[in-house]
Amino acid sequence: MWPTDPEYGLSPKNTVGIDVYNPPPMHWTSLLVLAYQSCGVVYGDLSTSPLYVYKGTFSGSLHRFVGEEAVVFGVFSVVFWTITLIPLLKYVFIVLSADDNGEGGTFALYSLLVRHAKFSLMPNQQAADEELSAYYRPGYSTEDTPMLKALRNFLEKHRKSRTCLLLMVLFGASLVIGDGVLTPAMSVLSSFSGLQVHSSALTHGEVVLLSCIVLVCLFTLQHWGTRRVGFLFAPVVVLWLLLLAALGIYNIVVWNPRILRALSPYYVVSFFQRTGKEGWISLGGVLLSMTGTEAMYADLGHFTAASIRVAFVGLIYPCLVLQYMGQAAFLSKAPNCDIHFIFFESIPRPIFWPVLVIATLAAIVGSQAVISATFSIVRQCTALGCFPRVKIVHTSNRINGQIYSPEINWLLMLVCLGVAVGFRDTNLIGNAYGMACAGVMVVTTLLMALVMVFVWQQGFLLAAMFLLAFGSVECVYLSAAIMKVPQGGWLPLALSLVVVAVMYVWHYGTRRRHLFDVQNKVSLKWLHALGPSLGIVRVPGIGLIYSELATGVPAIFSHFVTNLPAFHQVLVFVCVKAVPIPHVRCYERHLIGRIGPREFRMYRCVVRHGYKDVPGDDNDFENDLVVRIAEFVHMEAAGNNADATRNSDASVDGRMAVVSRSFDLSRTGLLMRAPLPNPEDSMVVLAAAAAATAATTADSSKTETIQSLQTMYEAESPGFAIRRRIRFEIDNSTSESMDPAVKEELSALVEAKHAGVAYIMGHSYIKARKSSSLIKKLAIDVAYTFLRKNCRGPAMALNIPHISLIEVGMIYYV
């Protein structure tokens, strides 16, 4: 059997009932600091809703009821119970518990489902992935009731049902991305409209211009990162919330203390009895009181569930309730006020301008929540093969979830400016905003019901109660939002259709390309027939052949062999793939195995990343790989090769093992000689330089031009040059007791490393077959090809040094 001691980096399956991933409880001071930061990042959007909720509610046919106190009380009662049922009860107390190892959002729910039930359409999954410590929830059991087993089998066997599930997830994710466009435009325009209350000389066009300038500044700040932006924005949001509470208390006391009675649900019933259809349509405005709630869940990875709960229950919820209550008290006694500026009308005149300044700052901050959520959603989509590759930058060394994407940031800014300039009316943007909010909430409710059944295993009754209780309420709001589709509600639907089309086309093309590789894998007989030399000249060096296959040899290898006259003496097939968990621990990340007999000198390395990890962030991959292969060779020689042979599958690969880079190199039989701080004083570097000079003289193929280019590249990338100068040697103290075959293999590995490492990558193009349908040709030949040409290449995404990169083109007909 393979060793399972943690010293070897091998991880047994998760023990039932033991949480091996969740960190220990956070100290209360750290909890309060995170709660404080979350105010500036997570709750900025939700806290600015009082700027436009009553305006959106009374802007339609309900405007004729403004003078009736009972109707105003009823509107507040509906708002109060809405934010109590959905943001507080559903999200804070229930949905936040459905985290995927600390991550939230629709894709987090989807990743939970595809791990605990085989709903995934993603290719390249291995049984070894299920042994990751964070793969299953603690206490998870595979025992199913007959009804649960029947439902699971139905969803797993019918591909269309899994496709519908994926499309639903993509639609929910696209609506959150749409919020990243609508929220900044809505919040900033609403705040600047307050300037027109006491400044009639300011035109609406000037307000839009000022809003656009502020939006550009907001998106420019994003490269600072969530942590810095959070500390910068949090004081503004906290001050804003305290000001909302103070204004609410003032208006309640001064205008109408009887508004406290509206906390009773009786006023909800009487409101709908009095207003009828107009009251139902007005729910599209009430819906705006929940905007930012989904972003709160999607931003869970930036903070913790406990910190978000503390901030919401202790500050956000009471302040918002007091503010909505105060506005209703003012409106019940001032029916002639301008409903379009209801928030600013309710402000006492002596403090109007200070409140306006803080409101403007809070509106700017309010956009941060959905912008951060958009970055998280895009990163998850990219990792799971549902979005073209974009640049992802980690902005925090302490919290992995805090990221920034330049391309997405500037694209959001352009679309947001287009919405602000094109609509120019917050009522129209509010209708679009409500549509996006209602849609994503319904998607989350459906996914949560499935999580309760398949992940939490709480039974159908509890899931049905959850679905009925919250789904029915949200469907009522969704129906009201649908009524406003002609008045701006079409915008999030149009944006979502575009984003879903991009996501699904990319996912479809990725799946078809992988399916081609699976169906055209190199056979074991063909490989063995080539012999140890593979039928070509084996030159010194290590060749890293990148492939998307986690098992078997890809068809592109035969393309290499038949078109290239020589190949490296050591070949490593590298597969960088995403697994449906947020983060893969460093010691579980690499799977190492052998391809073919020992004398072939062919290995496989599978590098596994979670959908929150960034591939290519390993700056010392070459040396790490050498150490891991040496560790694997020793593990295999320690009596594990027999078990590997018995358990090998019908493909070229034998059994693979999880191998972490050992801090004790004595187990690998190697010694590492690192260069001194001053490379000129390093004897090892001087010897390496002399050897390189000799090799250059002997090898006429390495011209002076190539050498000068390599020298120039190393001068531009000193870190790369230092890593290349690291030397490996056989440890003489352990070589005498070492198996001769192992020693010979390690010597060949060290010799190949010193000769150089080349990164070989297939530059594949996929095209639809001539017999394909017109839709498939458009999807593959037009849409997917366009996306592939305009996204980041895999070499850049994996941080491969271009001086060592070899790309060979190949066409896949799918």
Side-chain angles (χ1 to χ4, degrees):
M1 297 296 293
W2 291 91
T4 57
D5 189 283
E7 182 183 12
Y8 281 89
L10 298 180
S11 174
K13 281 199 174 184
N14 189 6
T15 305
V16 175
I18 300 178
D19 192 347
V20 297
Y21 185 86
N22 290 336
M26 184 179 298
H27 193 268
W28 67 271
T29 56
S30 300
L31 180 63
L32 291 179
V33 170
L34 279 180
Y36 169 77
Q37 284 187 334
S38 69
C39 292
V41 176
V42 175
Y43 291 117
D45 183 18
L46 194 61
S47 65
T48 55
S49 296
L51 290 173
Y52 42 75
V53 168
Y54 284 111
K55 172 188 174 181
T57 304
F58 287 100
S59 61
S61 57
L62 200 67
H63 187 272
R64 63 189 181 92
F65 293 100
V66 171
E68 299 185 21
E69 183 181 89
V71 174
V72 175
F73 279 27
V75 169
F76 164 71
S77 188
V78 173
V79 171
F80 168 75
W81 286 105
T82 296
I83 62 177
T84 300
L85 288 176
I86 306 301
L88 180 63
L89 184 58
K90 175 191 169 184
Y91 277 89
V92 172
F93 290 113
I94 300 178
V95 176
L96 285 182
S97 300
D99 66 296
D100 184 11
N101 295 304
E103 299 296 333
T106 53
F107 262 97
L109 296 175
Y110 181 67
S111 68
L112 284 172
L113 288 173
V114 299
R115 297 204 308 268
H116 294 79
K118 309 301 181 183
F119 297 159
S120 177
L121 292 173
M122 288 180 55
N124 224 4
Q125 299 302 302
Q126 297 173 275
D129 297 340
E130 300 182 16
E131 299 195 10
L132 292 168
S133 57
Y135 198 85
Y136 291 112
R137 291 178 66 91
Y140 173 76
S141 173
T142 57
E143 296 180 2
D144 295 337
T145 62
M147 185 178 296
L148 179 60
K149 185 177 181 179
L151 179 60
R152 185 194 302 270
N153 291 337
F154 175 81
L155 293 175
E156 290 179 355
K157 290 181 180 179
H158 292 79
R159 187 180 186 87
K160 291 183 178 180
S161 63
R162 290 182 287 147
T163 302
C164 291
L165 178 63
L166 176 64
L167 287 174
M168 182 175 66
V169 173
L170 296 181
F171 181 69
S174 65
L175 287 174
V176 176
I177 296 175
D179 280 347
V181 172
L182 298 172
T183 300
M186 181 68 178
S187 300
V188 176
L189 275 175
S190 297
S191 63
F192 274 104
S193 64
L195 293 172
Q196 297 178 289
V197 176
H198 297 294
S199 179
S200 57
L202 191 67
T203 64
H204 187 66
E206 292 172 338
V207 170
V208 174
L209 178 61
L210 287 174
S211 301
C212 291
I213 294 174
V214 170
L215 288 173
V216 172
C217 296
L218 172 66
F219 283 99
T220 305
L221 287 175
Q222 295 304 313
H223 73 279
W224 281 13
T226 304
R227 181 173 178 270
R228 294 180 180 178
V229 172
F231 268 115
L232 179 66
F233 287 169
V236 175
V237 176
V238 172
L239 179 60
W240 167 249
L241 288 167
L242 295 177
L243 187 61
L244 288 180
L247 288 173
I249 295 173
Y250 170 82
N251 287 324
I252 293 170
V253 174
V254 172
W255 293 99
N256 196 348
R258 293 190 304 112
I259 189 64
L260 293 171
R261 299 179 181 178
L263 294 174
S264 170
Y266 164 78
Y267 284 87
V268 176
V269 178
S270 63
F271 167 74
F272 287 109
Q273 289 178 343
R274 177 69 181 86
T275 59
K277 182 179 179 181
E278 288 85 355
W280 167 59
I281 296 176
S282 70
L283 291 178
V286 176
L287 184 61
L288 299 177
S289 64
M290 298 184 291
T291 55
T293 304
E294 187 67 31
M296 172 183 68
Y297 179 48
D299 281 330
L300 181 59
H302 293 248
F303 302 97
T304 63
S307 63
I308 292 177
R309 288 190 177 106
V310 167
F312 188 87
V313 176
L315 183 64
I316 311 298
Y317 180 73
C319 291
L320 290 179
V321 170
L322 288 173
Q323 174 57 211
Y324 288 126
M325 189 183 298
Q327 284 192 44
F330 170 80
L331 187 59
S332 65
K333 296 299 182 181
N336 296 324
C337 70
D338 190 346
I339 195 64
H340 292 87
F341 307 105
I342 174 62
F343 173 78
F344 298 101
E345 293 275 4
S346 66
I347 300 174
R349 191 175 184 87
I351 63 170
F352 173 80
W353 290 106
V355 173
L356 178 63
V357 172
I358 299 175
T360 303
L361 294 175
I364 297 171
V365 175
S367 308
Q368 182 60 38
V370 291
I371 294 174
S372 301
T374 301
F375 294 154
S376 299
I377 290 291
V378 169
R379 173 70 195 107
Q380 294 176 20
C381 296
T382 303
L384 297 178
C386 297
F387 201 86
R389 290 178 294 269
V390 294
K391 184 177 182 179
I392 301 294
V393 179
H394 275 292
T395 59
S396 174
N397 295 326
R398 299 175 57 189
I399 303 177
N400 290 329
Q402 296 186 358
I403 57 177
Y404 163 71
S405 175
E407 294 96 335
I408 299 301
N409 183 62
W410 303 127
L411 185 61
L412 284 178
M413 185 190 73
L414 292 176
V415 180
C416 182
L417 292 176
V419 171
V421 174
F423 276 12
R424 304 169 66 91
D425 185 358
T426 54
N427 284 330
L428 296 178
I429 301 177
N431 294 338
Y433 202 5
M435 185 69 203
C437 179
V440 73
M441 285 183 175
V442 171
V443 171
T444 300
T445 300
L446 294 173
L447 292 176
M448 270 299 303
L450 294 176
V451 167
M452 287 182 172
V453 173
F454 292 104
V455 182
W456 291 356
Q457 298 183 331
Q458 295 296 322
F460 287 95
L461 181 60
L462 184 62
M465 292 174 59
F466 175 87
L467 190 61
L468 181 63
F470 296 106
S472 58
V473 174
E474 291 166 354
C475 284
V476 172
Y477 282 107
L478 180 62
S479 63
I482 291 176
M483 296 296 295
K484 297 186 177 182
V485 167
Q487 293 82 36
W490 57 269
L491 180 61
L493 296 178
L495 290 175
S496 298
L497 289 177
V498 173
V499 176
V500 168
V502 170
M503 289 181 175
Y504 190 75
V505 165
W506 186 263
H507 186 268
Y508 177 76
T510 302
R511 282 193 291 115
R512 298 300 303 179
R513 186 175 61 184
H514 182 268
L515 182 61
F516 180 91
D517 273 335
V518 171
Q519 294 175 345
N520 295 273
K521 289 192 296 187
V522 175
S523 67
L524 178 63
K525 293 182 179 179
W526 182 84
L527 190 67
H528 282 175
L530 296 177
S533 67
L534 301 180
I536 55 178
V537 177
R538 302 293 290 270
V539 298
I542 297 179
L544 304 182
I545 304 176
Y546 280 78
S547 167
E548 295 184 0
L549 283 182
T551 59
V553 177
I556 201 166
F557 177 71
S558 61
H559 189 69
F560 285 151
V561 171
T562 55
N563 290 277
L564 296 178
F567 236 118
H568 300 84
Q569 67 186 91
V570 174
L571 294 178
V572 183
F573 289 85
V574 181
C575 173
V576 180
K577 71 168 190 173
V579 291
I581 62 175
H583 304 285
V584 178
R585 293 176 180 269
C586 293
Y587 64 81
E588 296 180 315
R589 182 163 293 172
H590 296 83
L591 283 170
I592 303 294
R594 186 187 298 279
I595 299 180
R598 182 190 298 269
E599 60 271 14
F600 277 38
R601 301 290 190 264
M602 297 173 64
Y603 309 93
R604 178 179 302 282
C605 176
V606 178
V607 185
R608 300 178 292 186
H609 290 276
Y611 58 76
K612 284 286 188 175
D613 296 322
V614 178
D617 59 355
D618 186 357
N619 294 322
D620 199 16
F621 179 70
E622 297 177 6
N623 297 318
D624 285 348
L625 183 60
V626 171
V627 173
R628 289 188 176 94
I629 293 178
E631 179 83 1
F632 170 80
V633 171
H634 277 278
M635 291 167 56
E636 186 183 45
N640 303 300
N641 53 340
D643 181 70
T645 303
R646 287 193 301 269
N647 291 280
S648 61
D649 55 25
S651 69
V652 187
D653 299 279
R655 182 172 178 178
M656 304 185 72
V658 180
V659 181
S660 64
R661 177 165 180 172
S662 175
F663 292 100
D664 182 12
L665 288 180
S666 62
R667 287 211 314 266
T668 66
L670 298 180
L671 293 177
M672 182 183 294
R673 304 296 186 190
L676 298 177
N678 184 0
E680 295 180 356
D681 298 333
S682 173
M683 296 302 295
V684 176
V685 172
L686 292 176
T693 303
T696 304
T697 304
D699 189 358
S700 59
S701 64
K702 289 190 174 182
T703 64
E704 295 181 359
T705 303
I706 296 178
Q707 290 297 319
S708 63
L709 288 174
Q710 183 169 354
T711 303
M712 184 185 304
Y713 180 79
E714 292 183 354
E716 296 175 354
S717 306
F720 171 78
I722 292 175
R723 293 193 299 272
R724 280 292 176 95
R725 287 196 294 266
I726 291 178
R727 309 287 293 178
F728 288 95
E729 300 176 0
I730 301 295
D731 188 356
N732 294 326
S733 62
T734 60
S735 61
E736 295 181 358
S737 60
M738 193 183 299
D739 187 331
V742 172
K743 184 177 181 180
E744 179 185 358
E745 188 169 4
L746 292 181
S747 299
L749 180 64
V750 170
E751 179 185 353
K753 173 61 175 67
H754 294 168
V757 179
Y759 295 78
I760 305 168
M761 182 172 291
H763 198 68
S764 58
Y765 298 87
I766 65 172
K767 291 185 177 181
R769 295 188 178 94
K770 293 182 179 180
S771 59
S772 301
S773 63
L774 178 61
I775 296 178
K776 183 177 180 180
K777 289 181 179 179
L778 290 175
I780 296 296
D781 296 342
V782 180
Y784 182 81
T785 302
F786 174 81
L787 293 174
R788 181 183 171 279
K789 289 182 178 180
N790 290 276
C791 72
R792 290 171 64 87
M796 183 177 296
L798 296 174
N799 197 24
I800 294 176
H802 64 267
I803 194 67
S804 305
L805 177 63
I806 301 174
E807 287 188 304
V808 178
M810 184 175 179
I811 298 178
Y812 289 4
Y813 287 97
V814 298

